[in-house]
Amino acid sequence: QVQLVESGGGLVQAGDSLRLSCAASGGTFSNYAMGWFRRAPGKEREFVAAISRSGGRTDSADSVKGRFTISRDNAKNTVYLQMNSLKPEDTAVYYCAGGRSRGSEIPKDFAYWGQGTQVTVSS
């Protein structure tokens, strides 16, 4: 069973940057592709970014391309989401997720989820 704990959220102004971290335990981290998702008030949860097991492949939503970067450090069992040029519409609870995968595959479904960290961007 993999446990995921997010950190790094907070209240920032539009144009600021934040880096979210997600620490994993309870499994072999390098066996899992990792992802970030978010849920804004009154909206469905949406995909933000994902990264393959080795970090060689990434994917991100069009809404964050060029502003957010996902990365991982398998030695530290941690995945990151660097968020730059934040906008008020990025306000949401951000969730880290993990899913077993093969090679550079990024799965469609993630079996393990963190509790989330709040990001609020003021205008």
mmCIF file of all heavy atoms in Angstrom, residues 22 29-37 47-61 69-74 78-82 96-108 110:
data_model
loop_
_atom_site.group_PDB
_atom_site.id
_atom_site.type_symbol
_atom_site.label_atom_id
_atom_site.label_comp_id
_atom_site.label_asym_id
_atom_site.label_seq_id
_atom_site.Cartn_x
_atom_site.Cartn_y
_atom_site.Cartn_z
ATOM 1 N N CYS A 22 5.222 15.895 -3.139
ATOM 2 C CA CYS A 22 4.438 14.730 -2.731
ATOM 3 C C CYS A 22 5.419 13.638 -2.338
ATOM 4 O O CYS A 22 6.176 13.146 -3.193
ATOM 5 C CB CYS A 22 3.539 14.274 -3.859
ATOM 6 S SG CYS A 22 2.678 12.718 -3.544
ATOM 7 N N PHE A 29 8.922 3.289 -5.086
ATOM 8 C CA PHE A 29 8.481 4.507 -5.765
ATOM 9 C C PHE A 29 8.721 4.439 -7.265
ATOM 10 O O PHE A 29 7.885 4.875 -8.056
ATOM 11 C CB PHE A 29 9.205 5.709 -5.151
ATOM 12 C CG PHE A 29 8.751 7.039 -5.677
ATOM 13 C CD1 PHE A 29 7.459 7.486 -5.448
ATOM 14 C CD2 PHE A 29 9.629 7.862 -6.380
ATOM 15 C CE1 PHE A 29 7.044 8.725 -5.922
ATOM 16 C CE2 PHE A 29 9.235 9.097 -6.850
ATOM 17 C CZ PHE A 29 7.936 9.534 -6.624
ATOM 18 N N SER A 30 9.846 3.875 -7.656
ATOM 19 C CA SER A 30 10.189 3.860 -9.073
ATOM 20 C C SER A 30 9.317 2.905 -9.894
ATOM 21 O O SER A 30 9.430 2.854 -11.110
ATOM 22 C CB SER A 30 11.665 3.505 -9.256
ATOM 23 O OG SER A 30 11.942 2.243 -8.680
ATOM 24 N N ASN A 31 8.443 2.141 -9.241
ATOM 25 C CA ASN A 31 7.501 1.275 -9.958
ATOM 26 C C ASN A 31 6.237 2.011 -10.388
ATOM 27 O O ASN A 31 5.402 1.442 -11.096
ATOM 28 C CB ASN A 31 7.079 0.092 -9.082
ATOM 29 C CG ASN A 31 8.158 -0.957 -8.960
ATOM 30 O OD1 ASN A 31 9.116 -0.967 -9.725
ATOM 31 N ND2 ASN A 31 8.022 -1.841 -7.995
ATOM 32 N N TYR A 32 6.106 3.266 -9.952
ATOM 33 C CA TYR A 32 4.855 3.982 -10.140
ATOM 34 C C TYR A 32 5.033 5.224 -11.004
ATOM 35 O O TYR A 32 5.929 6.041 -10.768
ATOM 36 C CB TYR A 32 4.282 4.410 -8.785
ATOM 37 C CG TYR A 32 3.925 3.243 -7.907
ATOM 38 C CD1 TYR A 32 4.875 2.687 -7.065
ATOM 39 C CD2 TYR A 32 2.651 2.700 -7.937
ATOM 40 C CE1 TYR A 32 4.553 1.600 -6.273
ATOM 41 C CE2 TYR A 32 2.318 1.617 -7.140
ATOM 42 C CZ TYR A 32 3.281 1.071 -6.309
ATOM 43 O OH TYR A 32 2.951 -0.010 -5.525
ATOM 44 N N ALA A 33 4.151 5.354 -11.990
ATOM 45 C CA ALA A 33 3.982 6.649 -12.619
ATOM 46 C C ALA A 33 3.249 7.537 -11.630
ATOM 47 O O ALA A 33 2.463 7.054 -10.812
ATOM 48 C CB ALA A 33 3.183 6.513 -13.910
ATOM 49 N N MET A 34 3.502 8.838 -11.695
ATOM 50 C CA MET A 34 2.908 9.768 -10.741
ATOM 51 C C MET A 34 2.181 10.888 -11.474
ATOM 52 O O MET A 34 2.563 11.261 -12.593
ATOM 53 C CB MET A 34 3.994 10.363 -9.839
ATOM 54 C CG MET A 34 4.790 9.341 -9.041
ATOM 55 S SD MET A 34 3.774 8.392 -7.900
ATOM 56 C CE MET A 34 3.220 9.686 -6.776
ATOM 57 N N GLY A 35 1.180 11.407 -10.809
ATOM 58 C CA GLY A 35 0.408 12.475 -11.431
ATOM 59 C C GLY A 35 -0.042 13.510 -10.422
ATOM 60 O O GLY A 35 -0.019 13.269 -9.210
ATOM 61 N N TRP A 36 -0.415 14.655 -10.940
ATOM 62 C CA TRP A 36 -1.043 15.713 -10.153
ATOM 63 C C TRP A 36 -2.415 16.009 -10.778
ATOM 64 O O TRP A 36 -2.532 16.124 -12.006
ATOM 65 C CB TRP A 36 -0.203 16.985 -10.151
ATOM 66 C CG TRP A 36 1.025 16.911 -9.297
ATOM 67 C CD1 TRP A 36 2.299 16.628 -9.708
ATOM 68 C CD2 TRP A 36 1.102 17.131 -7.884
ATOM 69 N NE1 TRP A 36 3.159 16.645 -8.636
ATOM 70 C CE2 TRP A 36 2.459 16.961 -7.503
ATOM 71 C CE3 TRP A 36 0.181 17.467 -6.892
ATOM 72 C CZ2 TRP A 36 2.898 17.111 -6.188
ATOM 73 C CZ3 TRP A 36 0.614 17.615 -5.590
ATOM 74 C CH2 TRP A 36 1.955 17.436 -5.248
ATOM 75 N N PHE A 37 -3.384 16.141 -9.901
ATOM 76 C CA PHE A 37 -4.739 16.489 -10.311
ATOM 77 C C PHE A 37 -5.198 17.646 -9.426
ATOM 78 O O PHE A 37 -4.582 17.928 -8.397
ATOM 79 C CB PHE A 37 -5.679 15.294 -10.122
ATOM 80 C CG PHE A 37 -5.387 14.142 -11.048
ATOM 81 C CD1 PHE A 37 -4.304 13.307 -10.816
ATOM 82 C CD2 PHE A 37 -6.190 13.892 -12.139
ATOM 83 C CE1 PHE A 37 -4.015 12.241 -11.670
ATOM 84 C CE2 PHE A 37 -5.923 12.834 -13.001
ATOM 85 C CZ PHE A 37 -4.831 12.016 -12.755
ATOM 86 N N PHE A 47 -7.200 16.529 -14.554
ATOM 87 C CA PHE A 47 -5.799 16.187 -14.703
ATOM 88 C C PHE A 47 -4.965 17.442 -14.858
ATOM 89 O O PHE A 47 -5.364 18.382 -15.555
ATOM 90 C CB PHE A 47 -5.645 15.293 -15.932
ATOM 91 C CG PHE A 47 -4.241 15.085 -16.383
ATOM 92 C CD1 PHE A 47 -3.415 14.199 -15.712
ATOM 93 C CD2 PHE A 47 -3.740 15.747 -17.491
ATOM 94 C CE1 PHE A 47 -2.121 13.987 -16.136
ATOM 95 C CE2 PHE A 47 -2.451 15.547 -17.922
ATOM 96 C CZ PHE A 47 -1.633 14.664 -17.252
ATOM 97 N N VAL A 48 -3.797 17.455 -14.207
ATOM 98 C CA VAL A 48 -2.869 18.572 -14.337
ATOM 99 C C VAL A 48 -1.602 18.133 -15.068
ATOM 100 O O VAL A 48 -1.234 18.696 -16.097
ATOM 101 C CB VAL A 48 -2.502 19.161 -12.967
ATOM 102 C CG1 VAL A 48 -1.448 20.259 -13.122
ATOM 103 C CG2 VAL A 48 -3.743 19.707 -12.269
ATOM 104 N N ALA A 49 -0.929 17.116 -14.532
ATOM 105 C CA ALA A 49 0.328 16.665 -15.131
ATOM 106 C C ALA A 49 0.640 15.266 -14.633
ATOM 107 O O ALA A 49 0.147 14.841 -13.581
ATOM 108 C CB ALA A 49 1.467 17.616 -14.792
ATOM 109 N N ALA A 50 1.470 14.559 -15.405
ATOM 110 C CA ALA A 50 1.890 13.222 -15.004
ATOM 111 C C ALA A 50 3.303 12.971 -15.493
ATOM 112 O O ALA A 50 3.785 13.632 -16.425
ATOM 113 C CB ALA A 50 0.936 12.160 -15.548
ATOM 114 N N ILE A 51 3.946 11.987 -14.866
ATOM 115 C CA ILE A 51 5.324 11.674 -15.195
ATOM 116 C C ILE A 51 5.529 10.168 -15.108
ATOM 117 O O ILE A 51 4.970 9.511 -14.232
ATOM 118 C CB ILE A 51 6.287 12.442 -14.252
ATOM 119 C CG1 ILE A 51 7.730 12.310 -14.704
ATOM 120 C CG2 ILE A 51 6.103 12.007 -12.795
ATOM 121 C CD1 ILE A 51 8.654 13.320 -14.013
ATOM 122 N N SER A 52 6.317 9.630 -16.025
ATOM 123 C CA SER A 52 6.556 8.195 -16.044
ATOM 124 C C SER A 52 7.487 7.775 -14.909
ATOM 125 O O SER A 52 8.033 8.604 -14.181
ATOM 126 C CB SER A 52 7.155 7.792 -17.397
ATOM 127 O OG SER A 52 8.412 8.432 -17.572
ATOM 128 N N ARG A 53 7.684 6.488 -14.801
ATOM 129 C CA ARG A 53 8.466 5.928 -13.698
ATOM 130 C C ARG A 53 9.862 6.509 -13.586
ATOM 131 O O ARG A 53 10.338 6.835 -12.503
ATOM 132 C CB ARG A 53 8.552 4.421 -13.866
ATOM 133 C CG ARG A 53 7.261 3.691 -13.693
ATOM 134 C CD ARG A 53 7.385 2.243 -14.107
ATOM 135 N NE ARG A 53 8.486 1.568 -13.437
ATOM 136 C CZ ARG A 53 8.814 0.314 -13.649
ATOM 137 N NH1 ARG A 53 8.130 -0.416 -14.533
ATOM 138 N NH2 ARG A 53 9.818 -0.248 -13.006
ATOM 139 N N SER A 54 10.519 6.628 -14.708
ATOM 140 C CA SER A 54 11.902 7.122 -14.695
ATOM 141 C C SER A 54 11.976 8.637 -14.813
ATOM 142 O O SER A 54 13.043 9.222 -14.625
ATOM 143 C CB SER A 54 12.682 6.504 -15.846
ATOM 144 O OG SER A 54 12.186 7.000 -17.078
ATOM 145 N N GLY A 55 10.862 9.250 -15.142
ATOM 146 C CA GLY A 55 10.855 10.688 -15.368
ATOM 147 C C GLY A 55 11.133 11.076 -16.799
ATOM 148 O O GLY A 55 11.157 12.252 -17.142
ATOM 149 N N GLY A 56 11.330 10.087 -17.665
ATOM 150 C CA GLY A 56 11.671 10.374 -19.045
ATOM 151 C C GLY A 56 10.522 10.868 -19.896
ATOM 152 O O GLY A 56 10.727 11.444 -20.963
ATOM 153 N N ARG A 57 9.321 10.643 -19.428
ATOM 154 C CA ARG A 57 8.146 11.089 -20.178
ATOM 155 C C ARG A 57 7.225 11.863 -19.250
ATOM 156 O O ARG A 57 6.972 11.443 -18.120
ATOM 157 C CB ARG A 57 7.397 9.896 -20.760
ATOM 158 C CG ARG A 57 6.136 10.294 -21.513
ATOM 159 C CD ARG A 57 5.352 9.084 -21.958
ATOM 160 N NE ARG A 57 4.050 9.465 -22.490
ATOM 161 C CZ ARG A 57 3.080 8.608 -22.774
ATOM 162 N NH1 ARG A 57 3.275 7.315 -22.617
ATOM 163 N NH2 ARG A 57 1.929 9.039 -23.246
ATOM 164 N N THR A 58 6.741 13.007 -19.738
ATOM 165 C CA THR A 58 5.779 13.791 -18.982
ATOM 166 C C THR A 58 4.608 14.162 -19.880
ATOM 167 O O THR A 58 4.714 14.147 -21.116
ATOM 168 C CB THR A 58 6.396 15.067 -18.390
ATOM 169 O OG1 THR A 58 6.839 15.912 -19.463
ATOM 170 C CG2 THR A 58 7.565 14.755 -17.469
ATOM 171 N N ASP A 59 3.508 14.505 -19.239
ATOM 172 C CA ASP A 59 2.324 14.964 -19.941
ATOM 173 C C ASP A 59 1.671 16.029 -19.063
ATOM 174 O O ASP A 59 1.802 15.982 -17.842
ATOM 175 C CB ASP A 59 1.365 13.798 -20.177
ATOM 176 C CG ASP A 59 0.232 14.158 -21.122
ATOM 177 O OD1 ASP A 59 0.351 15.175 -21.848
ATOM 178 O OD2 ASP A 59 -0.777 13.430 -21.142
ATOM 179 N N SER A 60 1.016 16.988 -19.690
ATOM 180 C CA SER A 60 0.354 18.023 -18.896
ATOM 181 C C SER A 60 -0.876 18.535 -19.631
ATOM 182 O O SER A 60 -0.986 18.415 -20.863
ATOM 183 C CB SER A 60 1.308 19.173 -18.580
ATOM 184 O OG SER A 60 1.771 19.779 -19.766
ATOM 185 N N ALA A 61 -1.764 19.101 -18.864
ATOM 186 C CA ALA A 61 -2.980 19.677 -19.437
ATOM 187 C C ALA A 61 -2.645 20.949 -20.204
ATOM 188 O O ALA A 61 -1.710 21.675 -19.855
ATOM 189 C CB ALA A 61 -3.974 19.986 -18.321
ATOM 190 N N THR A 69 5.508 22.519 -14.278
ATOM 191 C CA THR A 69 6.454 21.457 -14.631
ATOM 192 C C THR A 69 6.424 20.374 -13.566
ATOM 193 O O THR A 69 6.585 20.661 -12.377
ATOM 194 C CB THR A 69 7.886 22.009 -14.744
ATOM 195 O OG1 THR A 69 7.925 23.062 -15.721
ATOM 196 C CG2 THR A 69 8.853 20.911 -15.155
ATOM 197 N N ILE A 70 6.233 19.142 -14.001
ATOM 198 C CA ILE A 70 6.275 18.016 -13.086
ATOM 199 C C ILE A 70 7.650 17.371 -13.157
ATOM 200 O O ILE A 70 8.262 17.282 -14.231
ATOM 201 C CB ILE A 70 5.167 16.988 -13.409
ATOM 202 C CG1 ILE A 70 5.079 15.909 -12.332
ATOM 203 C CG2 ILE A 70 5.361 16.383 -14.798
ATOM 204 C CD1 ILE A 70 3.861 15.003 -12.465
ATOM 205 N N SER A 71 8.157 16.931 -12.006
ATOM 206 C CA SER A 71 9.445 16.247 -11.964
ATOM 207 C C SER A 71 9.408 15.272 -10.793
ATOM 208 O O SER A 71 8.503 15.308 -9.964
ATOM 209 C CB SER A 71 10.589 17.247 -11.805
ATOM 210 O OG SER A 71 10.479 17.969 -10.586
ATOM 211 N N ARG A 72 10.391 14.403 -10.732
ATOM 212 C CA ARG A 72 10.459 13.442 -9.642
ATOM 213 C C ARG A 72 11.902 13.163 -9.285
ATOM 214 O O ARG A 72 12.807 13.288 -10.116
ATOM 215 C CB ARG A 72 9.737 12.150 -10.017
ATOM 216 C CG ARG A 72 10.382 11.360 -11.135
ATOM 217 C CD ARG A 72 9.477 10.208 -11.590
ATOM 218 N NE ARG A 72 9.298 9.210 -10.538
ATOM 219 C CZ ARG A 72 8.298 8.327 -10.511
ATOM 220 N NH1 ARG A 72 7.378 8.337 -11.486
ATOM 221 N NH2 ARG A 72 8.195 7.439 -9.545
ATOM 222 N N ASP A 73 12.089 12.766 -8.034
ATOM 223 C CA ASP A 73 13.391 12.348 -7.538
ATOM 224 C C ASP A 73 13.192 10.972 -6.925
ATOM 225 O O ASP A 73 12.696 10.861 -5.795
ATOM 226 C CB ASP A 73 13.920 13.354 -6.511
ATOM 227 C CG ASP A 73 15.336 13.040 -6.053
ATOM 228 O OD1 ASP A 73 15.762 11.876 -6.166
ATOM 229 O OD2 ASP A 73 16.000 13.959 -5.575
ATOM 230 N N ASN A 74 13.543 9.943 -7.665
ATOM 231 C CA ASN A 74 13.294 8.586 -7.186
ATOM 232 C C ASN A 74 14.150 8.242 -5.959
ATOM 233 O O ASN A 74 13.778 7.380 -5.174
ATOM 234 C CB ASN A 74 13.521 7.573 -8.304
ATOM 235 C CG ASN A 74 12.376 7.574 -9.311
ATOM 236 O OD1 ASN A 74 11.328 8.185 -9.088
ATOM 237 N ND2 ASN A 74 12.577 6.901 -10.425
ATOM 238 N N THR A 78 9.937 11.242 -4.088
ATOM 239 C CA THR A 78 9.162 12.482 -4.106
ATOM 240 C C THR A 78 8.902 12.934 -5.542
ATOM 241 O O THR A 78 9.779 12.835 -6.399
ATOM 242 C CB THR A 78 9.904 13.595 -3.342
ATOM 243 O OG1 THR A 78 10.145 13.158 -2.000
ATOM 244 C CG2 THR A 78 9.085 14.869 -3.298
ATOM 245 N N VAL A 79 7.691 13.422 -5.745
ATOM 246 C CA VAL A 79 7.332 14.044 -7.020
ATOM 247 C C VAL A 79 6.983 15.500 -6.739
ATOM 248 O O VAL A 79 6.458 15.825 -5.668
ATOM 249 C CB VAL A 79 6.171 13.296 -7.705
ATOM 250 C CG1 VAL A 79 4.911 13.307 -6.860
ATOM 251 C CG2 VAL A 79 5.900 13.862 -9.091
ATOM 252 N N TYR A 80 7.307 16.357 -7.696
ATOM 253 C CA TYR A 80 7.128 17.799 -7.527
ATOM 254 C C TYR A 80 6.241 18.366 -8.624
ATOM 255 O O TYR A 80 6.155 17.820 -9.717
ATOM 256 C CB TYR A 80 8.479 18.513 -7.582
ATOM 257 C CG TYR A 80 9.507 17.991 -6.607
ATOM 258 C CD1 TYR A 80 10.471 17.064 -7.006
ATOM 259 C CD2 TYR A 80 9.513 18.424 -5.284
ATOM 260 C CE1 TYR A 80 11.413 16.583 -6.111
ATOM 261 C CE2 TYR A 80 10.450 17.945 -4.385
ATOM 262 C CZ TYR A 80 11.404 17.028 -4.808
ATOM 263 O OH TYR A 80 12.330 16.550 -3.923
ATOM 264 N N LEU A 81 5.623 19.485 -8.303
ATOM 265 C CA LEU A 81 4.915 20.262 -9.317
ATOM 266 C C LEU A 81 5.340 21.711 -9.134
ATOM 267 O O LEU A 81 4.953 22.360 -8.161
ATOM 268 C CB LEU A 81 3.403 20.126 -9.180
ATOM 269 C CG LEU A 81 2.609 20.831 -10.278
ATOM 270 C CD1 LEU A 81 2.820 20.128 -11.626
ATOM 271 C CD2 LEU A 81 1.113 20.870 -9.946
ATOM 272 N N GLN A 82 6.172 22.183 -10.046
ATOM 273 C CA GLN A 82 6.580 23.581 -10.041
ATOM 274 C C GLN A 82 5.549 24.387 -10.804
ATOM 275 O O GLN A 82 5.291 24.125 -11.981
ATOM 276 C CB GLN A 82 7.953 23.742 -10.695
ATOM 277 C CG GLN A 82 8.448 25.175 -10.773
ATOM 278 C CD GLN A 82 8.717 25.782 -9.425
ATOM 279 O OE1 GLN A 82 9.322 25.150 -8.560
ATOM 280 N NE2 GLN A 82 8.267 27.021 -9.221
ATOM 281 N N CYS A 96 -1.956 14.556 -5.331
ATOM 282 C CA CYS A 96 -0.920 13.709 -5.896
ATOM 283 C C CYS A 96 -1.506 12.309 -6.065
ATOM 284 O O CYS A 96 -2.294 11.859 -5.227
ATOM 285 C CB CYS A 96 0.260 13.699 -4.921
ATOM 286 S SG CYS A 96 1.565 12.536 -5.297
ATOM 287 N N ALA A 97 -1.104 11.627 -7.121
ATOM 288 C CA ALA A 97 -1.614 10.282 -7.370
ATOM 289 C C ALA A 97 -0.506 9.395 -7.925
ATOM 290 O O ALA A 97 0.407 9.875 -8.601
ATOM 291 C CB ALA A 97 -2.771 10.334 -8.360
ATOM 292 N N GLY A 98 -0.605 8.110 -7.636
ATOM 293 C CA GLY A 98 0.369 7.153 -8.137
ATOM 294 C C GLY A 98 -0.310 5.937 -8.726
ATOM 295 O O GLY A 98 -1.356 5.505 -8.232
ATOM 296 N N GLY A 99 0.295 5.394 -9.779
ATOM 297 C CA GLY A 99 -0.247 4.202 -10.404
ATOM 298 C C GLY A 99 0.867 3.342 -10.970
ATOM 299 O O GLY A 99 1.830 3.864 -11.530
ATOM 300 N N ARG A 100 0.707 2.034 -10.811
ATOM 301 C CA ARG A 100 1.729 1.133 -11.348
ATOM 302 C C ARG A 100 1.705 1.224 -12.872
ATOM 303 O O ARG A 100 0.650 1.364 -13.491
ATOM 304 C CB ARG A 100 1.467 -0.295 -10.906
ATOM 305 C CG ARG A 100 1.711 -0.522 -9.422
ATOM 306 C CD ARG A 100 1.590 -1.987 -9.074
ATOM 307 N NE ARG A 100 2.686 -2.759 -9.646
ATOM 308 C CZ ARG A 100 3.829 -2.995 -9.023
ATOM 309 N NH1 ARG A 100 4.038 -2.517 -7.812
ATOM 310 N NH2 ARG A 100 4.764 -3.715 -9.589
ATOM 311 N N SER A 101 2.873 1.136 -13.440
ATOM 312 C CA SER A 101 2.967 1.215 -14.903
ATOM 313 C C SER A 101 4.210 0.481 -15.368
ATOM 314 O O SER A 101 5.049 0.076 -14.567
ATOM 315 C CB SER A 101 3.022 2.678 -15.359
ATOM 316 O OG SER A 101 4.236 3.279 -14.957
ATOM 317 N N ARG A 102 4.301 0.330 -16.689
ATOM 318 C CA ARG A 102 5.456 -0.323 -17.294
ATOM 319 C C ARG A 102 6.206 0.680 -18.162
ATOM 320 O O ARG A 102 5.581 1.442 -18.893
ATOM 321 C CB ARG A 102 5.013 -1.497 -18.144
ATOM 322 C CG ARG A 102 4.349 -2.610 -17.372
ATOM 323 C CD ARG A 102 3.958 -3.749 -18.274
ATOM 324 N NE ARG A 102 3.346 -4.854 -17.532
ATOM 325 C CZ ARG A 102 2.934 -5.980 -18.085
ATOM 326 N NH1 ARG A 102 3.047 -6.160 -19.397
ATOM 327 N NH2 ARG A 102 2.399 -6.933 -17.349
ATOM 328 N N GLY A 103 7.493 0.658 -18.064
ATOM 329 C CA GLY A 103 8.318 1.506 -18.920
ATOM 330 C C GLY A 103 7.946 2.962 -18.810
ATOM 331 O O GLY A 103 7.847 3.509 -17.719
ATOM 332 N N SER A 104 7.704 3.577 -19.953
ATOM 333 C CA SER A 104 7.381 4.998 -19.993
ATOM 334 C C SER A 104 5.877 5.257 -20.024
ATOM 335 O O SER A 104 5.434 6.379 -20.234
ATOM 336 C CB SER A 104 8.027 5.646 -21.217
ATOM 337 O OG SER A 104 7.514 5.055 -22.395
ATOM 338 N N GLU A 105 5.113 4.216 -19.775
ATOM 339 C CA GLU A 105 3.654 4.346 -19.806
ATOM 340 C C GLU A 105 3.160 5.294 -18.713
ATOM 341 O O GLU A 105 3.656 5.279 -17.591
ATOM 342 C CB GLU A 105 3.025 2.968 -19.593
ATOM 343 C CG GLU A 105 1.516 2.969 -19.459
ATOM 344 C CD GLU A 105 0.986 1.627 -18.993
ATOM 345 O OE1 GLU A 105 1.472 1.119 -17.968
ATOM 346 O OE2 GLU A 105 0.075 1.096 -19.650
ATOM 347 N N ILE A 106 2.183 6.106 -19.060
ATOM 348 C CA ILE A 106 1.469 6.901 -18.061
ATOM 349 C C ILE A 106 0.051 6.365 -18.018
ATOM 350 O O ILE A 106 -0.673 6.466 -19.002
ATOM 351 C CB ILE A 106 1.494 8.393 -18.404
ATOM 352 C CG1 ILE A 106 2.924 8.929 -18.290
ATOM 353 C CG2 ILE A 106 0.560 9.162 -17.472
ATOM 354 C CD1 ILE A 106 3.090 10.377 -18.661
ATOM 355 N N PRO A 107 -0.345 5.767 -16.915
ATOM 356 C CA PRO A 107 -1.647 5.104 -16.878
ATOM 357 C C PRO A 107 -2.808 6.090 -16.925
ATOM 358 O O PRO A 107 -2.655 7.254 -16.584
ATOM 359 C CB PRO A 107 -1.606 4.362 -15.541
ATOM 360 C CG PRO A 107 -0.645 5.128 -14.705
ATOM 361 C CD PRO A 107 0.381 5.665 -15.645
ATOM 362 N N LYS A 108 -3.950 5.582 -17.350
ATOM 363 C CA LYS A 108 -5.157 6.416 -17.349
ATOM 364 C C LYS A 108 -5.760 6.493 -15.956
ATOM 365 O O LYS A 108 -6.408 7.468 -15.605
ATOM 366 C CB LYS A 108 -6.171 5.859 -18.337
ATOM 367 C CG LYS A 108 -5.739 5.965 -19.794
ATOM 368 C CD LYS A 108 -6.825 5.454 -20.718
ATOM 369 C CE LYS A 108 -6.398 5.600 -22.180
ATOM 370 N NZ LYS A 108 -7.441 5.115 -23.112
ATOM 371 N N PHE A 110 -5.178 5.998 -11.725
ATOM 372 C CA PHE A 110 -4.208 6.000 -10.643
ATOM 373 C C PHE A 110 -4.862 5.398 -9.406
ATOM 374 O O PHE A 110 -5.934 5.817 -9.000
ATOM 375 C CB PHE A 110 -3.727 7.421 -10.356
ATOM 376 C CG PHE A 110 -2.868 7.999 -11.453
ATOM 377 C CD1 PHE A 110 -3.450 8.544 -12.585
ATOM 378 C CD2 PHE A 110 -1.493 7.983 -11.350
ATOM 379 C CE1 PHE A 110 -2.660 9.073 -13.602
ATOM 380 C CE2 PHE A 110 -0.697 8.511 -12.356
ATOM 381 C CZ PHE A 110 -1.278 9.054 -13.488
#
